[in-house]
Amino acid sequence: IVHVIHGTYAETVYPRNNGAAGNLITYWGDPGVTVTGQPQMIVSPFTAYPGFALTAKSYIVIDGFNITQTGTKGIYADSSSYLTITNNHVTYAGVTSTTHPYEQGIYLKATTHSTVSGNTTDHNTCIGIRLLNGSDYNLVSNNISFSNFSLVETDAAGIETTGSSYNTIINNVTYSNEDSGINIYVNSSTGMQSTHNLIIDNLSYENGDHGIDTNNSPYNTYVGNTVHGNGTTGINVEGEASTGSHHTTLINNISAGNGFTP
């Protein structure tokens, strides 16, 4: 256990070692711990840094940190597995960067069998929580993601899977995001779809676009979600004829008062 006492840490945390099943490495922040990431280099190539950066790591816990005003992502994980990211407040990711004003709060790339739960992600310069390119078999639960707003293009959602499958997205609240509350998307660059995801009991309201949006991603299931007051369609399922979002299942969802403020 790496027990971090209260204070502000202008550094990026790079876990060196892997844990193991039943023997996790835990980064545990006291109340009042703030991580801002290593300051951006002011000489070319103007490198920006996240708060936590994990590459090819497993069985690591990040719990209880306030991560804010990082130059790039708040928490970055690539090619990792069995991570637990819980009870963090990740905000204003990307706002201090002169080269990366387009950054996610919590970002998992090719990362599997991990848990993202109980976090708050807000006012980031892109998506609050994003699962990208083969981030499969993850649990995203009990998070609050709001007021994320992109400075580059209109696509800052609360939670998004892009080319990621077999995830469970449950009991989250997404609201007042620039784009949709929850996106289940194809990766338009690679053609990798987001399939066989379960989206259950989420509340998504007052987002700029849809409450929940599905694009070119089949075999997803939506159960018991409530979407209201979103700018366009409450629950949107769409795709091209060649790929599509076929075999979508919608059960016991509530959709009300959407489309009045597109």
Side-chain angles (χ1 to χ4, degrees), residues 85 106 108 114-119 129-131 135 137-145 158-161 167-174 182 198-200 202:
I85 300 170
I106 298 174
L108 274 58
S114 296
T115 296
V116 179
S117 184
N119 303 283
I129 300 170
R130 190 181 195 191
L131 279 56
S135 289
Y137 299 102
N138 299 294
L139 172 64
V140 180
S141 67
N142 298 292
N143 302 285
I144 300 172
S145 191
I159 298 171
E160 179 171 312
T161 69
N167 299 290
T168 299
I169 300 172
I170 185 170
N171 290 339
N172 301 282
V173 179
T174 57
I182 298 174
L198 302 176
I199 299 90
I200 304 171
N202 299 283

Side-chain angles (χ1 to χ4, degrees), residues 195-217:
T195 68
H196 299 93
N197 296 288
L198 302 176
I199 299 90
I200 304 171
D201 286 342
N202 299 283
L203 171 62
S204 184
Y205 65 95
E206 294 179 1
N207 297 287
D209 198 0
H210 308 289
I212 299 172
D213 191 14
T214 312
N215 181 260
N216 281 321
S217 292

Side-chain angles (χ1 to χ4, degrees), residues 13-231:
V13 182
Y14 298 95
R16 179 176 296 178
N17 300 308
N18 291 316
N23 192 20
L24 307 179
I25 295 174
T26 298
Y27 291 82
W28 176 29
D30 269 348
V33 170
T34 297
V35 178
T36 59
Q38 182 177 338
Q40 181 173 337
M41 294 178 63
I42 60 174
V43 296
S44 181
F46 302 104
T47 304
Y49 298 93
F52 282 80
L54 299 87
T55 301
K57 293 294 182 289
S58 58
Y59 295 105
I60 290 175
V61 179
I62 301 171
D63 183 272
F65 290 88
N66 179 43
I67 302 167
T68 187
Q69 300 186 52
T70 51
T72 178
K73 280 83 172 166
I75 298 175
Y76 171 91
D78 186 7
S79 304
S80 298
S81 61
Y82 298 101
L83 307 178
T84 302
I85 300 170
T86 50
N87 304 316
N88 302 286
H89 184 196
V90 187
T91 185
Y92 294 103
V95 298
T96 62
S97 174
T98 59
T99 56
H100 295 75
Y102 184 60
E103 298 294 351
Q104 295 83 13
I106 298 174
Y107 177 90
L108 274 58
K109 178 181 179 183
T111 293
T112 64
H113 299 95
S114 296
T115 296
V116 179
S117 184
N119 303 283
T120 299
T121 56
D122 63 276
H123 294 91
N124 298 290
T125 59
C126 195
I127 301 159
I129 300 170
R130 190 181 195 191
L131 279 56
L132 177 68
N133 290 1
S135 289
D136 303 336
Y137 299 102
N138 299 294
L139 172 64
V140 180
S141 67
N142 298 292
N143 302 285
I144 300 172
S145 191
F146 69 95
S147 296
N148 296 290
F149 188 91
S150 174
L151 303 175
V152 178
E153 56 183 286
T154 307
D155 68 348
I159 298 171
E160 179 171 312
T161 69
T162 308
S164 298
S165 301
Y166 297 98
N167 299 290
T168 299
I169 300 172
I170 185 170
N171 290 339
N172 301 282
V173 179
T174 57
Y175 67 94
S176 297
N177 295 289
E178 176 189 38
D179 194 62
S180 298
I182 298 174
N183 285 336
I184 308 297
Y185 271 20
V186 66
N187 186 322
S188 58
S189 298
T190 65
M192 184 181 295
Q193 296 175 311
S194 293
T195 68
H196 299 93
N197 296 288
L198 302 176
I199 299 90
I200 304 171
D201 286 342
N202 299 283
L203 171 62
S204 184
Y205 65 95
E206 294 179 1
N207 297 287
D209 198 0
H210 308 289
I212 299 172
D213 191 14
T214 312
N215 181 260
N216 281 321
S217 292
Y219 296 103
N220 293 292
T221 299
Y222 302 89
V223 180
N225 301 285
T226 299
V227 297
H228 68 88
N230 296 287

